[in-house]
Amino acid sequence: KDLTKHRMTMVNVQSPDFNINKPKNRLASDDESNSRTRRIAWPWIVLVCVAVVVVGGIAAGVVCGTGKCTKTTPDKPPATTAPPNPDSDGDTAPQSTLKQVRRNGRLKCGVAPGTFQLTDSEGFSADLCRAIAAAALGTSRGENVDFVEVTTFNQFATLLDGTVDVLAADTAITMERDLLEPTSGAGFTFSTPYLYTGLIFAGDPVFVDCADDLDATGNCSSFRICSVKDATHSRILQDIYPGASLLLTSNLASSFENLRQGICQVVAGERFTVSPDVVPDSTTQAEYAVGENLFSKEPIAFATRDGDPEWSDFVNWVLQGLLYAQEIGITQTRAASLRGTSDVFGPEFTNMFADAVSFVGNYGEIYMKHFENIIPGVNGINTGNSGLMYAMPFGEVATVKPATRTIGTLADIRNRGILHCGIVQQQFFAVKDQQTGEFSGFDIDFCRALSAAIFDGEPDKVQYTDLSATERFLSLANGDVDVLSRETTVTFSRDVSEPSSKTGFSFSQSNFYDGLGFLGIPPFGRCADTLDTTGECALLSICVGNGTTFQSRVQELFPPENIVVKKRTSLAAQGLQNGDCNAIAGGFADFTFANSEAGG
């Protein structure tokens, strides 16, 4: 049985591992705790070479002093994490947005009118804003939300200048927006996606068929498509449908008004914005159809300002809490069972997940309330029964201005001419050839991909450091390595404040998925698998690696007398062979190693 989740991400919509911790991932970078800003800023650089590797945020340079690092935008001064506090008696130092929201007693949420059925502060995005408010302020103040209407053109500028605290405005993640969003000249931080959708056509059935076929010839040459200016759709259309006649509008309502007047025959949007269930009859023509094909990937997420990871983490983990509640069956009426989940953000937020779910329900309840029958399938909870990898769209990266970086981790790596990559020697993932001394394996290839991306195609400028589970985060926090490319689970506490290093870390998208299982000498493998410690199973002795999420989960499942903690997971596998234990806890690679060591 798979008794825990490792290297998790969200494709379809996937809930996290609360541990109290999050998904599992094989790449991580440091996040300085004193300033609560990210130490490494790479994400999308690796996507140029390997689509599933996204490390941190290349929103550009990183300014690092002793105990303090500030993420900056290319050719821009360090970003302000939040507007100065007017009541600070002259103290103009940036204040955490989370603390500002608590001080003001209100959340300012940027929303897009006409999307997610948002009318009169009601709808899917409005409920997500309320979930954040309830988590930050308490259940009794979940309605303390100021909804600020934004457009695709001004949404990022509105976020950057502090007019809003968070965007919940049908905002898709792209590399461009993460790196250097063009309308604001800044990069932004995005949550895990909370909705997966894509470009679709709707309108006059005849011309919708033309658009679905990307046909602009013959009878299909005389129609016009309305698309919202500065939305990802308009740029995608220009790339995939060069022969189309496009009319760019200020917002979706204008697109539909043009459709009603016959100025446009087709509207470009997402299923939740063009579905007949959400579009009033008065805004469409007599005959109205929705196309069958999706022409883009639109992972919709919260957006927050760069340079304020405490707030970005908080927003993201509220979403994760809604997903987690759905997965384990905790509904709005049973939200109290989530009380006291964690004080990672401080004692005042011990009940943040319970407060959010109590106020608006879990993710599934919110989704069914607003989107039932509109967007079926892809936005259900993923329990590991389908593909889990999802490559984020790039956006218009060709237009992003290169920056000269003289400080920060990326600059340090380039100046020293070598990448320091933290690994763990493990079958299939990082194996050292005893004759040549060279490494190979899954994790090694990601280090090589990083090297190639940083050093203009040279994959071998890497120094590998073998780190145990208890050593890895301290080594990363101390700067001994630049990145971890090893078995490392993304968890709530590691993201916000990892216990051994007392700092938070930035994690890439997951590049491998696994889970806790057991292997043992009969009958003890079965005993562990069935969580049985009675009768003949009373002699069960499970070896598990120290400092791992496997260890913490095993300690939740079994009494101490049935657990033998080893310094490394590889030593746990050897413990089965030398008689230290009669079962081991681990994942796919651990069991393969144990089988090979045992001779079958």
Side-chain angles (χ1 to χ4, degrees):
K1 295 177 182 176
D2 183 355
L3 297 176
T4 190
K5 296 189 295 186
H6 292 265
R7 306 174 183 88
M8 291 269 178
T9 190
M10 297 181 62
V11 176
N12 294 357
V13 179
Q14 178 134 13
S15 75
D17 175 5
F18 266 75
N19 195 257
I20 228 101
N21 299 322
K22 139 178 171 186
K24 186 163 196 171
N25 196 309
R26 300 196 71 90
L27 288 105
S29 55
D30 185 20
D31 172 9
E32 294 286 343
S33 60
N34 291 342
S35 63
R36 294 297 303 125
T37 56
R38 309 295 183 185
R39 179 167 181 263
I40 285 193
W42 299 351
W44 302 97
I45 188 169
V46 188
L47 279 173
V48 175
C49 300
V50 183
V52 296
V53 186
V54 188
V55 187
I58 196 177
V62 183
V63 180
C64 292
T66 303
K68 185 174 182 179
C69 299
T70 303
K71 185 175 179 182
T72 63
T73 303
D75 295 336
K76 299 287 178 179
T80 300
T81 60
N85 179 1
D87 302 322
S88 58
D89 298 324
D91 182 6
T92 59
Q95 185 184 46
S96 162
T97 304
L98 181 58
K99 292 180 176 63
Q100 282 198 335
V101 170
R102 291 278 294 183
R103 176 174 57 83
N104 296 333
R106 300 193 69 82
L107 172 72
K108 297 175 293 183
C109 201
V111 294
T115 62
F116 296 154
Q117 298 175 303
L118 183 66
T119 56
D120 298 327
S121 302
E122 296 296 331
F124 185 74
S125 56
D127 278 348
L128 293 177
C129 294
R130 292 187 178 97
I132 298 171
L137 302 172
T139 304
S140 63
R141 294 196 288 177
E143 285 289 359
N144 288 16
V145 183
D146 295 327
F147 294 100
V148 180
E149 292 189 359
V150 297
T151 67
T152 55
F153 181 76
N154 70 12
Q155 58 178 335
F156 289 107
T158 302
L159 176 60
L160 186 65
D161 68 14
T163 301
V164 299
D165 304 313
V166 61
L167 287 179
D170 184 18
T171 305
I173 306 170
T174 69
M175 175 182 175
E176 176 190 22
R177 289 171 171 176
D178 184 26
L179 170 61
L180 184 60
E181 193 279 325
T183 64
S184 62
F188 294 88
T189 300
F190 292 88
S191 71
T192 299
Y194 56 77
L195 196 69
Y196 292 85
T197 182
L199 169 62
I200 198 169
F201 297 112
D204 185 310
V206 172
F207 296 112
V208 167
D209 288 343
C210 293
D212 248 13
D213 294 333
L214 300 180
D215 187 357
T217 63
N219 294 333
C220 295
S221 63
S222 60
F223 76 100
R224 180 176 289 175
I225 301 174
C226 275
S227 178
V228 178
K229 181 182 179 182
D230 293 311
T232 52
H233 298 157
S234 59
R235 300 178 185 179
I236 292 168
L237 278 171
Q238 292 169 13
D239 289 336
I240 67 171
Y241 204 176
S245 174
L246 299 181
L247 177 61
L248 301 181
T249 63
S250 58
N251 53 47
L252 192 64
S254 296
S255 293
F256 275 108
E257 176 60 20
N258 286 333
L259 179 68
R260 186 186 68 80
Q261 295 182 15
I263 298 172
C264 292
Q265 289 71 43
V266 172
V267 167
E270 286 106 358
R271 190 175 296 278
F272 57 80
T273 60
V274 301
S275 169
D277 294 312
V278 299
V279 177
D281 293 339
S282 60
T283 63
T284 63
Q285 299 169 327
E287 293 185 81
Y288 183 82
V290 177
E292 297 180 356
N293 298 325
L294 287 179
F295 291 94
S296 70
K297 293 192 300 184
E298 304 284 338
I300 307 301
F302 294 117
T304 51
R305 288 180 288 273
D306 272 355
D308 190 358
E310 180 185 50
W311 176 240
S312 298
D313 286 346
F314 187 86
V315 169
N316 186 54
W317 281 101
V318 172
L319 172 60
Q320 300 282 17
L322 299 178
L323 295 165
Y324 177 71
Q326 180 185 356
E327 185 177 67
I328 64 175
I330 295 180
T331 60
Q332 188 171 16
T333 58
R334 297 180 53 234
S337 60
L338 290 172
R339 293 183 65 82
T341 304
S342 174
D343 62 354
V344 169
F345 286 103
E348 63 269 44
F349 301 109
T350 300
N351 299 321
M352 58 181 286
F353 300 119
D355 290 339
V357 176
S358 175
F359 199 77
V360 297
N362 65 37
Y363 177 87
E365 289 177 296
I366 302 171
Y367 189 89
M368 291 297 288
K369 175 182 175 182
H370 299 290
F371 289 142
E372 185 178 9
N373 300 324
I374 297 175
I375 318 176
V378 69
N379 289 290
I381 286 288
N382 190 318
T383 56
N385 55 0
S386 70
L388 296 172
M389 295 299 178
Y390 187 99
M392 296 295 173
F394 280 26
E396 295 294 312
V397 292
T399 64
V400 175
K401 182 181 178 181
T404 300
R405 302 174 181 86
T406 58
I407 52 178
T409 303
L410 185 57
D412 290 344
I413 296 168
R414 288 183 62 86
N415 290 336
R416 82 168 82 101
I418 194 163
L419 168 71
H420 294 161
C421 205
I423 61 168
V424 61
Q425 293 193 54
Q426 188 178 20
Q427 187 80 356
F428 304 115
F429 294 100
V431 179
K432 186 175 184 178
D433 188 302
Q434 296 304 314
Q435 293 183 338
T436 66
E438 295 182 355
F439 283 95
S440 63
F442 186 81
D443 292 341
I444 300 302
D445 281 346
F446 281 104
C447 294
R448 287 167 54 82
L450 279 170
S451 173
I454 295 168
F455 297 112
D456 195 24
E458 297 187 49
D460 297 318
K461 291 191 171 185
V462 186
Q463 177 179 306
Y464 300 101
T465 303
D466 189 6
L467 298 171
S468 70
T470 53
E471 297 168 332
R472 55 185 163 176
F473 289 114
L474 286 172
S475 294
L476 183 57
N478 292 335
D480 300 329
V481 295
D482 303 311
V483 64
L484 295 178
S485 179
R486 68 177 309 284
E487 184 179 8
T488 301
T489 303
V490 189
T491 69
F492 182 20
S493 61
R494 290 172 177 176
D495 185 31
V496 180
S497 181
E498 192 276 326
S500 69
S501 62
K502 308 302 181 185
T503 189
F505 294 88
S506 297
F507 290 83
S508 72
Q509 278 186 222
S510 299
N511 61 359
F512 192 86
Y513 292 81
D514 203 351
L516 171 64
F518 299 98
L519 179 147
I521 300 168
F524 298 107
R526 174 189 57 79
C527 295
D529 199 47
T530 57
L531 308 182
D532 186 359
T533 57
T534 63
E536 64 177 353
C537 295
L539 297 177
L540 173 66
S541 179
I542 304 171
C543 282
V544 63
N546 188 29
T548 64
T549 49
F550 288 142
Q551 177 193 5
S552 58
R553 182 59 172 151
V554 168
Q555 289 173 336
E556 292 174 355
L557 296 171
F558 296 95
E561 56 267 25
N562 296 107
I563 303 172
V564 178
V565 178
K566 294 290 187 177
K567 182 178 179 181
R568 285 173 172 261
T569 301
S570 60
L571 296 178
Q574 292 175 6
L576 182 66
Q577 183 184 28
N578 61 30
D580 291 345
C581 52
N582 47 40
I584 63 170
F588 157 77
D590 308 311
F591 295 157
T592 304
F593 175 77
N595 277 328
S596 64
E597 288 293 302

